[in-house]
């Protein structure tokens, strides 16, 4: 609504009658709101753990693979926990047996990240939201392990949302924000 108010002011002040000009002002207004002074993330500059959450099918594992590849290209030593993409991204993978407890996989991955002096540990979590209570418990356990075993690492929690799901994506983001300390969003399939 702030964008619309500003647009109304500009149209009035500049006596704009042409819809194309009006549209361009709207685009510029949105761009201005999205502009950030700094584009690097904290996890690019210090020892970090990136916890990636989201429902199944949104592109979580693909996003994790791309992120791992990007960080590796920057010269970072990356370890992935429980992601199928690791071998393709050329980074180390710590996985569990099928059905292994996610928290125990994260525990093993933290030990590996420390032993191998990794810059970034990326944890790809299983995507479940339909049973919020289980997800909450699982995430609590993971956070506890990370706080206890790797307190020196910066922790980033990213939620992956599918851009094609429309308003439902917002509902998912809100639900995940209730159970996790979400710092950022990866929007896929735009």
């Amino acid at each position: 609504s702030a964008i619309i108010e500003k647009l109304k002011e500009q149209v009035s002040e500049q006596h704009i009658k042409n819809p194309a000009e009006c549209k361009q002002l709207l685009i510029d207004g949105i761009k201005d709101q999205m502009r950030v002074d700094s584009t690097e993330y904290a996890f690019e500059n210090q020892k970090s753990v990136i916890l990636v959450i989201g429902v199944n099918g949104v592109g979580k594992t693909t996003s994790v693979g791309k992120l791992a590849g990007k960080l590796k290209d920057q010269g970072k030593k990356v370890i992935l926990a429980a992601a199928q993409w690791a071998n393709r991204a050329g980074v180390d993978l710590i996985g569990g047996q099928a059905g292994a407890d996610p928290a125990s996989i994260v525990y093993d991955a933290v030990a590996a990240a420390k032993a191998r002096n990794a810059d970034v540990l990326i944890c790809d979590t299983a995507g479940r939201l339909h049973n919020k209570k289980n997800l909450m418990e699982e995430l609590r356990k993971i956070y506890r392990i990370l706080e206890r075993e790797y307190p020196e690492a910066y922790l980033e929690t990213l939620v992956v949302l599918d851009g094609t799901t429309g308003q439902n994506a917002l509902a998912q983001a809100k639900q995940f924000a209730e159970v996790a300390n979400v710092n950022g969003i990866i929007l896929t399939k735009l």
Side-chain angles (χ1 to χ4, degrees):
S1 64
I3 293 172
I4 299 297
E5 287 309 309
K6 189 177 174 206
L7 185 64
K8 282 179 184 171
E9 276 175 38
Q10 287 175 309
V11 167
S12 165
E13 282 168 14
Q14 298 172 31
H15 309 292
I16 291 169
K17 303 274 187 280
N18 182 345
E21 279 183 69
C22 187
K23 186 178 174 188
Q24 190 54 52
L25 278 177
L26 177 62
I27 291 167
D28 294 342
I30 293 169
K31 276 185 183 168
D32 276 348
Q33 276 223 325
M34 293 175 76
R35 188 165 289 124
V36 285
D37 296 328
S38 173
T39 57
E40 77 277 7
Y41 296 96
F43 60 75
E44 292 185 277
N45 300 324
Q46 59 196 95
K47 271 217 185 333
S48 298
V49 176
I50 305 172
L51 194 59
V52 184
I53 59 178
V55 299
N56 285 327
V58 292
K60 205 163 57 264
T61 300
T62 303
S63 297
V64 162
K66 287 177 177 178
L67 187 56
K70 180 179 186 285
L71 291 166
K72 186 174 181 283
D73 289 346
Q74 290 174 7
K76 306 266 185 255
K77 179 153 181 52
V78 181
I79 289 184
L80 286 192
Q84 296 78 7
W85 259 68
N87 47 7
R88 281 192 250 175
V91 298
D92 293 347
L93 166 66
I94 307 299
Q97 301 310 310
D101 173 40
S104 69
I105 294 169
V106 169
Y107 182 89
D108 291 345
V110 166
K114 287 167 146 179
R116 301 175 201 178
N117 196 25
D119 297 302
V120 184
L121 166 63
I122 306 177
C123 302
D124 182 4
T125 63
R128 286 185 296 279
L129 194 55
H130 57 266
N131 189 336
K132 211 149 89 172
K133 194 171 170 294
N134 284 7
L135 176 77
M136 212 182 260
E137 284 307 307
E138 203 170 274
L139 282 167
R140 270 201 204 112
K141 268 202 273 186
I142 289 171
Y143 280 127
R144 268 203 308 272
I145 285 165
L146 292 171
E147 281 165 16
R148 190 180 68 225
E149 301 297 324
Y150 213 9
E152 66 273 29
Y154 170 81
L155 176 61
E156 179 95 7
T157 302
L158 301 176
V159 63
V160 182
L161 301 170
D162 177 338
T164 65
T165 56
Q167 287 299 312
N168 193 28
L170 186 61
Q172 279 177 23
K174 284 177 177 164
Q175 287 184 286
F176 276 114
E178 285 170 23
V179 296
N181 315 318
V182 175
N183 305 89
I185 292 173
I186 296 175
L187 204 51
T188 61
K189 309 179 193 178
L190 276 177

